[in-house]
Amino acid sequence: MPKDFRPLLDRLEPITLEEMTSIRLMNRIDSKYLANEDQLELLLDMVRQDYLVQETDGTRMANYSTLYLDDDQLTMYLNHHNRRLNRQKVRIRSYVDSNLNFFEVKTKNNHGRTKKKRFQVEDCNQWNTPQAADFLAQYSMYGIGLDEIAPKIRNYFKRITLVNRERTERLTIDSMLRFHNMESGLDRDMDRLVVLEVKRDGNTPSPIMDIFRELRIHPSGFSKYCIGMALTTPGIKCGNFKTKLRKIEKITSI
């Protein structure tokens, strides 16, 4: 049974979504970290003095879902697995509580910068449309048409968003992660895993880094699409993810 973090979140001072959108991290550095629920419980108690929690319509843990698309050769999965620096993912990101859905092309370049292009769609399954075809033709680096891709996997998770009082850092905390493979039909729950991402304004001082060190939470790249596919696709090439999978197993079994 996943832990209930609501009592700890209720102790934090809130910040509204409107206030959050005014925070512009122009010279942004993004870093991901992996933890477990026990570490998150301690972290939420330790951040009370320095961080605010995003609250939307009285909710401090938002529900998210993402549908990932790829071609029959799994080009986008394999480019990440094979450590290509320039790569893309195509997905529909759903903000479940507000019923907002976006068709997105997410690009990471060889300098480690991530950019997203997206447009709003009415439904979380609305991907096979003329507008999506034009959008993909405009932004895809692979030259893959919409008629060549299909849904591969969907994930579900809950997100907490924190911001430091100086408004120079944003921390997203994803937990209760679940996968459903659209082709194999396999499901995988990762309730004990917590994925944290720090978005900092350059090299400004960060209270969270001291907390991470104290809790032994270490930097670790993590792709929800790739890990989900590796866990739910029989026979898929995943050798380069085995170290990561072992690390996840160790973290979550502590």
Side-chain angles (χ1 to χ4, degrees):
M1 178 71 67
K3 289 180 179 287
D4 184 1
F5 297 109
R6 287 174 297 181
L8 286 167
L9 292 174
D10 287 342
R11 298 180 189 177
L12 297 177
E13 184 179 336
I15 183 171
T16 66
L17 179 60
E18 290 73 22
E19 291 173 308
M20 286 290 292
T21 55
S22 67
I23 300 169
R24 305 289 183 183
L25 304 180
M26 302 304 292
N27 185 27
R28 197 169 87 181
I29 298 174
D30 297 353
S31 304
K32 286 186 179 179
Y33 298 77
L34 297 181
N36 59 41
E37 286 191 316
D38 295 335
Q39 291 169 310
L40 176 57
E41 193 170 32
L42 294 170
L43 182 147
L44 290 176
D45 186 57
M46 295 167 74
V47 298
R48 280 188 290 167
Q49 300 302 316
D50 297 308
Y51 287 82
L52 312 173
V53 61
Q54 180 179 305
E55 179 177 294
T56 306
D57 296 328
T59 300
R60 299 185 176 193
M61 286 188 78
N63 291 288
Y64 280 60
S65 176
T66 317
L67 177 69
Y68 288 93
L69 301 106
D70 210 334
D71 61 10
D72 290 342
Q73 291 74 41
L74 299 180
T75 297
M76 287 171 257
Y77 169 86
L78 290 174
N79 279 343
H80 194 144
H81 174 274
N82 296 337
R83 298 172 178 164
R84 287 198 52 178
L85 297 179
N86 291 301
R87 56 182 186 256
Q88 283 185 328
K89 296 194 175 68
V90 177
R91 67 190 194 182
I92 294 180
R93 166 58 59 84
S94 298
Y95 302 85
V96 177
D97 302 317
S98 54
N99 195 30
L100 289 173
N101 308 285
F102 295 89
F103 185 100
E104 299 182 344
V105 175
K106 184 178 179 182
T107 305
K108 187 168 187 177
N109 66 23
N110 57 0
H111 301 291
R113 293 284 181 180
T114 300
K115 294 183 179 180
K116 286 192 294 187
K117 298 290 185 180
R118 69 182 190 175
F119 69 94
Q120 189 171 348
V121 296
E122 291 184 6
D123 185 84
C124 62
N125 297 302
Q126 189 180 5
W127 61 275
N128 194 4
T129 67
Q131 185 178 7
D134 292 342
F135 189 84
L136 191 61
Q138 182 177 359
Y139 293 112
S140 172
M141 66 166 58
Y142 302 129
I144 299 173
L146 192 69
D147 59 344
E148 299 174 87
I149 63 175
K152 300 299 178 185
I153 197 166
R154 189 188 296 278
N155 66 37
Y156 308 86
F157 58 94
K158 291 183 178 291
R159 172 167 288 182
I160 300 164
T161 302
L162 306 180
V163 62
N164 66 338
R165 294 185 181 276
E166 290 73 26
R167 310 304 204 265
T168 59
E169 179 180 271
R170 197 179 303 154
L171 172 64
T172 60
I173 304 169
D174 296 343
S175 62
M176 304 182 198
L177 180 60
R178 294 181 288 129
F179 299 107
H180 173 70
N181 192 299
M182 311 298 286
E183 295 187 338
S184 71
L186 295 177
D187 296 298
R188 181 67 181 263
D189 293 352
M190 306 190 76
D191 287 337
R192 288 272 296 159
L193 183 68
V194 177
V195 182
L196 307 104
E197 184 166 10
V198 182
K199 301 170 176 32
R200 300 168 62 194
D201 194 359
N203 289 309
T204 53
S206 169
I208 201 66
M209 295 303 165
D210 291 333
I211 294 173
F212 282 170
R213 280 190 286 271
E214 185 172 345
L215 296 178
R216 297 182 180 180
I217 297 173
H218 305 294
S220 180
F222 185 87
S223 164
K224 292 186 180 74
Y225 173 54
C226 292
I227 296 301
M229 289 291 285
L231 290 170
T232 63
T233 310
I236 196 171
K237 182 180 180 181
C238 61
N240 286 340
F241 294 137
K242 285 187 176 179
T243 299
K244 184 79 62 185
L245 293 169
R246 284 195 293 269
K247 180 176 182 178
I248 292 168
E249 184 177 358
K250 180 179 179 181
I251 289 170
T252 56
S253 63
I254 293 174

